[in-house]
């Protein structure tokens, strides 16, 4: 974005200064530069996806292709992004990277017009200060609006304009200066700092950080610094960047950008492990395709001398209409455009699909992204031995609590207790501020949900808590223990549920994908319980043993017989919805298995007696009521 803002603005300012700038000519050049290679990659990706992906995924690719044709891919991914905790991984979407082209093209719809309108004032310092101010406002807006709509901030122009405008400010400065007045030592420092800011951002930022926003400033300023230092004079950084291999990469960079993501996305979709050898092969394939695009698509079309209308029709409208028809056909047939031509595929897909229902889809599971007062009184959110009386037991947590509802329901029916459940996806159940523990994109909803739940949680005698103990950051278990202590101070007894196994590399759609994606292997051998899960569960157990109002239960002795955790149960049925969540049916079957084998665990067996008696205290370990069991 910084490079693009610099180059395009510098070109426009030069033409305005020479009194030869034309809006029509600007868009003519943009079409010649962007459209041909873009359409080739769109066509290839769209075609491959219709054969290689499941119908639903092929339809999704066609939809994103349709919006990409209109230079609105970023709008599409903003509006259609699934906020569900179980959303498909975005790195498997073949055309996700087209969002950045959408941002650029939307920026260049109005930026040349603004420069043309202010042609008599663009040389003034006031104009540059205004542009810089708008850039700063863009970063500030992104930072402030992130909690409200992180997807909008990531994909949309208002939050990204600062990056483009920073490049534009550098272009303004360069176009107004004929010579450099900085010493070589200062210029070397600028180049070094610029490169350090970029590399630092690469290694220090993660997908849990707020971005863009303030954290986008270092990489943006670093890029601007490199461009500026390159204009001032030669530096050790520019000496590297002007080497012939680097120039070659630069020439192919646009096509390489277009090709690299679909290749990686298809490989991820097919669960292909990226070995060093394959990484080299992918790198080579990306630049081979990029060279072909540059040599036979980009260069010939860019050299076209046709006028604006001929270029518009031949290089944009005609291919856009053709691809649009293909994409619309796939969308209209729900991705079955080519798959439906194979009766064998249709029969196999219907035979392969089976019910892997996650807990959150069940009516009696009150899991959401934001808890509401209605959830707290919803009669459908009660399980176990349901009566007209309000339950005195609450299940609180995230999705890792929700997937235990089937098991707890079986315990409740046998032991005679009922419980209400409320879960918030990707939200650490805490009384304290979760700011350091959860993703920035979930922080606002998590804060509001925890405040609401805490306002009524002390009304219960017993609170059962489970969460994704291993994923929350920065001292989560320390903060959680303080939350439990605060509950205990109000007389509430707490039962902690251990983290379930994590089945690495499990893809619940693998069997369906393998019908059209050649070479996929879906069978997984039983795996040991991950060390992180063992460590978290051990800490929870030891914490419970130290506190008389806290008990602990761990179902992993049943889920991992012989210290190995299988994907399927004894009957061959898959037990997991995804890598770390039991299916709704598997949770029920787990509860029945435990009750049939050893009875309701003592941790839960006395809950019916304790209901309505908050002042009662569970006995210390060794008594029938208070004995803590891992089984």
């Amino acid at each position: 974005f910084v490079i693009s803002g610099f180059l395009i603005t510098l070109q426009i300012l030069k033409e305005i200064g020479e009194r030869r700038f034309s809006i029509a000519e600007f868009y003519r050049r943009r079409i010649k530069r962007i459209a041909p290679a873009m359409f080739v990659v769109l066509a290839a990706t769209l075609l491959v996806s219709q054969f290689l992906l499941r119908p639903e995924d092929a339809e999704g690719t066609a939809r994103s292709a349709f919006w990409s044709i209109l230079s609105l891919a970023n709008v599409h991914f903003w509006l259609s992004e699934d906020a569900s905790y179980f959303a498909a991984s975005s790195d498997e979407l073949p055309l996700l990277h087209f969002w950045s082209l959408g941002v650029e093209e939307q920026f260049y719809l109005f930026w040349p017009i603004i420069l043309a309108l202010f042609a008599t004032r663009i040389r003034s310092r006031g104009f540059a200060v205004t542009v810089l101010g708008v850039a700063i406002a863009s970063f500030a807006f992104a930072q402030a609006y992130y909690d409200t709509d992180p997807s909008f901030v990531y994909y949309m122009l208002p939050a990204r304009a600062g990056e483009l405008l920073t490049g534009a400010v550098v272009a303004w400065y360069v176009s107004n200066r004929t010579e450099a007045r900085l010493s070589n030592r200062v210029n070397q420092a600028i180049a070094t700092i610029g490169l350090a800011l970029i590399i630092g951002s690469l290694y220090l930022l993660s997908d849990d950080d707020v971005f863009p926003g303030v954290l986008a400033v270092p990489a943006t300023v670093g890029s601007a610094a490199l461009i500026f230092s390159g204009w001032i004079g030669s530096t050790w950084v520019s000496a590297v960047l002007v080497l012939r291999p680097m120039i070659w990469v630069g020439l192919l960079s646009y096509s390489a950008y277009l090709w690299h993501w679909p290749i990686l996305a298809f490989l991820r979709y097919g669960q292909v492990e990226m070995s060093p050898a394959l990484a080299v092969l992918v790198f080579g394939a990306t630049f081979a395709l990029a060279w072909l695009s540059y040599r036979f698509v980009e260069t010939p079309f860019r050299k076209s001398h046709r006028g604006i209308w001929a270029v518009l029709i031949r290089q944009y409208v005609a291919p856009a209409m053709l691809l649009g028809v293909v994409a619309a056909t796939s969308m209209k047939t729900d991705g079955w455009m080519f798959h439906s031509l194979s009766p064998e595929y249709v029969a196999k897909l219907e035979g392969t699909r089976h019910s892997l229902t996650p807990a959150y889809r069940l009516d009696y599971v009150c899991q959401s992204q934001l808890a509401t007062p209605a959830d707290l009184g919803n009669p459908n959110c009660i399980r176990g031995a349901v009566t007209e009386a309000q339950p005195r037991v609450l299940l609180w947590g995230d999705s890792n609590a929700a997937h235990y509802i089937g098991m707890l329901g079986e315990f409740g029916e046998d032991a005679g207790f009922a419980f209400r459940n409320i879960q918030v996806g990707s939200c650490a159940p805490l009384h304290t501020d979760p700011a350091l523990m959860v993703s920035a994109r979930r922080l606002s909803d998590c804060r509001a949900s925890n405040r609401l739940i805490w306002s009524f949680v002390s009304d219960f005698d017993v609170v059962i808590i489970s969460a994704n103990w291993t994923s929350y950051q920065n001292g989560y278990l320390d903060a959680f223990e303080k939350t439990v202590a605060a509950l205990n101070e109000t007389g509430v007894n707490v039962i902690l549920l251990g983290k379930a196994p994590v089945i690495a590399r499990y893809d619940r759609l693998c069997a369906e994908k393998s019908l059209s994606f050649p070479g996929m292997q879906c069978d997984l051998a039983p795996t040991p319980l991950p060390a992180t899960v063992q460590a978290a569960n051990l800490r929870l157990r030891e914490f419970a043993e130290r506190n008389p109002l806290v008990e602990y239960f761990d179902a992993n002795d049943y889920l991992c017989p012989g210290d190995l955790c299988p994907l399927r149960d004894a009957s061959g049925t898959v037990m997991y919805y995804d890598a770390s969540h039991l299916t709704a049916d598997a949770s029920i079957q787990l509860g029945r298995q435990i009750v049939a084998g050893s009875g309701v665990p003592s941790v839960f067996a006395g809950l019916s007696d304790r209901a309505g008696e908050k002042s009662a205290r569970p006995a210390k370990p060794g008594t029938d009521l208070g004995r803590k069991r891992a089984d």
Side-chain angles (χ1 to χ4, degrees):
F1 286 154
V2 178
I3 294 172
S4 179
F6 171 78
L7 290 176
I8 298 300
T9 303
L10 188 64
Q11 183 181 54
I12 294 174
L13 291 177
K14 179 182 178 181
E15 292 178 355
I16 289 177
E18 297 173 353
R19 299 182 182 276
R20 60 184 181 87
F21 177 68
S22 164
I23 293 288
E25 178 60 21
F26 172 81
Y27 290 127
R28 173 179 172 273
R29 289 198 303 265
R30 290 299 294 173
I31 291 173
K32 292 196 301 176
R33 176 72 178 95
I34 299 298
M38 178 187 77
F39 283 129
V40 168
V41 174
L42 278 176
T45 304
L46 184 59
L47 181 64
V48 171
S49 69
Q50 301 307 303
F51 289 100
L52 202 61
L53 308 186
R54 298 184 316 129
E56 294 86 346
D57 301 328
E59 189 273 339
T61 303
R63 191 174 300 277
S64 59
F66 189 87
W67 285 73
S68 298
I69 292 168
L70 303 175
S71 295
L72 294 172
N74 59 324
V75 178
H76 164 67
F77 289 116
W78 163 49
L79 293 176
S80 66
E81 185 180 47
D82 189 353
S84 166
Y85 182 82
F86 295 101
S89 178
S90 61
D91 63 6
E92 294 180 5
L93 302 177
L95 296 175
L96 181 67
H97 63 320
F98 271 74
W99 73 268
S100 64
L101 293 184
V103 170
E104 281 198 56
E105 293 314 301
Q106 290 151 32
F107 178 76
Y108 291 123
L109 282 177
F110 68 85
W111 183 237
I113 298 174
I114 290 176
L115 293 177
L117 289 175
F118 290 90
T120 59
R121 302 184 61 183
I122 56 177
R123 295 294 180 185
S124 69
R125 184 172 299 178
F127 181 83
V129 171
T130 301
V131 173
L132 184 60
V134 175
I136 294 172
S138 174
F139 290 116
F141 165 77
Q143 187 73 29
Y145 197 63
Y146 190 92
D147 283 350
T148 302
D149 193 343
S151 183
F152 181 91
V153 168
Y154 190 86
Y155 289 118
M156 298 301 288
L157 178 60
R160 292 289 185 172
E163 299 163 50
L164 289 147
L165 291 175
T166 299
V169 170
V170 177
W172 175 90
Y173 184 88
V174 168
S175 69
N176 281 277
R177 297 290 187 276
T178 57
E179 61 180 0
R181 297 182 180 180
L182 293 178
S183 68
N184 180 62
R185 178 177 297 180
V186 172
N187 196 37
Q188 295 283 359
I190 291 174
T192 302
I193 293 171
L195 185 62
L197 289 172
I198 295 173
I199 295 175
S201 297
L202 176 65
Y203 283 100
L204 297 178
L205 292 179
S206 75
D207 57 5
D208 290 321
D209 293 317
V210 174
F211 192 92
V214 173
L215 292 180
V217 173
T220 302
V221 172
S223 301
L226 285 187
I227 294 171
F228 177 76
S229 68
W231 174 77
I232 292 292
S234 178
T235 66
W236 72 271
V237 178
S238 64
V240 174
L241 295 178
V242 298
L243 294 175
R244 291 186 65 85
M246 299 297 285
I247 293 176
W248 182 78
V249 169
L251 290 174
L252 303 185
S253 61
Y254 174 58
S255 283
Y257 177 76
L258 292 177
W259 282 112
H260 90 285
W261 187 261
I263 295 173
L264 293 173
F266 285 134
L267 291 174
R268 296 186 190 110
Y269 186 89
Q271 296 184 350
V272 178
E273 184 175 354
M274 188 61 68
S275 64
L278 181 59
V280 172
L281 182 62
V282 169
F283 187 85
T286 297
F287 276 93
L289 290 170
W291 182 84
L292 291 172
S293 292
Y294 177 78
R295 174 66 177 82
F296 298 105
V297 179
E298 282 192 66
T299 301
F301 282 101
R302 194 162 51 195
K303 291 181 177 180
S304 171
H305 296 291
R306 292 188 176 94
I308 177 62
W309 291 110
V311 168
L312 178 65
I313 293 173
R314 290 170 179 259
Q315 298 189 26
Y316 186 82
V317 175
M321 291 182 64
L322 179 61
L323 277 179
V325 169
V326 176
T329 302
S330 177
M331 293 158 56
K332 187 69 174 178
T333 60
D334 296 325
W336 283 91
M337 184 168 60
F338 295 125
H339 287 305
S340 61
L341 301 178
S342 172
E344 181 182 3
Y345 175 84
V346 175
K348 286 184 177 180
L349 183 62
E350 292 176 351
T352 300
R353 286 180 168 170
H354 50 78
S355 178
L356 289 179
T357 305
Y360 76 92
R361 288 184 182 168
L362 301 180
D363 292 338
Y364 57 78
V365 175
C366 287
Q367 178 185 333
S368 63
Q369 296 297 88
L370 175 64
T372 66
D375 296 326
L376 309 182
N378 187 346
N380 293 330
C381 301
I382 301 174
R383 300 301 292 167
V386 180
T387 64
E388 293 184 359
Q390 286 296 318
R392 306 299 300 170
V393 179
L394 173 71
L395 173 66
W396 176 29
D398 56 18
S399 59
N400 284 255
H403 76 158
Y404 280 131
I405 290 176
M407 177 190 75
L408 294 175
E410 295 299 313
F411 293 168
E413 290 182 6
D414 192 270
F417 71 87
F419 65 94
R420 174 176 293 281
N421 73 89
I422 186 165
Q423 296 81 219
V424 182
S426 303
C427 176
L430 286 172
H431 178 40
T432 56
D433 188 3
L436 297 178
M437 289 81 181
V438 304
S439 165
R441 65 176 62 91
R442 293 289 301 125
L443 182 56
S444 179
D445 286 349
C446 186
R447 279 174 171 163
S449 299
N450 282 349
R451 283 196 299 266
L452 177 65
I453 295 170
W454 190 261
S455 68
F456 84 103
V457 73
S458 60
D459 295 339
F460 291 85
D461 299 317
V462 179
V463 176
I464 305 170
I465 305 179
S466 186
N468 191 359
W469 310 112
T470 58
S471 73
Y472 298 122
Q473 312 166 59
N474 299 321
Y476 167 54
L477 289 179
D478 292 333
F480 176 73
E481 290 178 1
K482 295 177 182 178
T483 294
V484 174
L487 278 173
N488 292 158
E489 288 176 2
T490 66
V492 174
N493 296 276
V494 175
I495 299 175
L496 306 178
L497 300 181
K499 168 73 175 173
V502 175
I503 310 298
R505 299 189 63 206
Y506 169 55
D507 181 353
R508 63 185 177 84
L509 298 174
C510 183
E512 294 183 31
K513 292 178 178 180
S514 66
L515 297 178
S516 54
F517 199 108
M520 285 190 67
Q521 299 295 323
C522 297
D523 291 332
L524 296 175
T527 58
L529 193 65
T532 53
V533 174
Q534 294 185 52
N537 287 352
L538 177 61
R539 175 164 177 176
L540 294 172
R541 183 198 302 275
E542 292 175 345
F543 173 69
E545 290 174 349
R546 296 192 305 269
N547 295 272
L549 294 180
V550 182
E551 298 180 279
Y552 173 77
F553 177 75
D554 187 346
N556 288 346
D557 284 349
Y558 293 92
L559 294 170
C560 303
D563 295 328
L564 291 176
C565 309
L567 177 64
R568 302 173 185 270
D569 62 18
S571 67
T573 302
V574 173
M575 295 187 292
Y576 293 84
Y577 175 72
D578 65 6
S580 60
H581 295 87
L582 297 168
T583 66
D585 186 64
S587 182
I588 294 172
Q589 296 303 321
L590 175 63
R592 291 175 180 173
Q593 176 191 356
I594 294 173
V595 171
S598 57
V600 176
S602 60
V603 170
F604 304 100
L607 289 187
S608 60
D609 298 329
R610 276 185 276 170
E613 300 179 7
K614 179 184 286 190
S615 60
R617 296 291 186 265
K620 293 293 290 183
T623 67
D624 290 339
L625 182 60
R627 186 170 61 251
K628 298 173 175 64
R629 295 174 44 173
D631 57 351

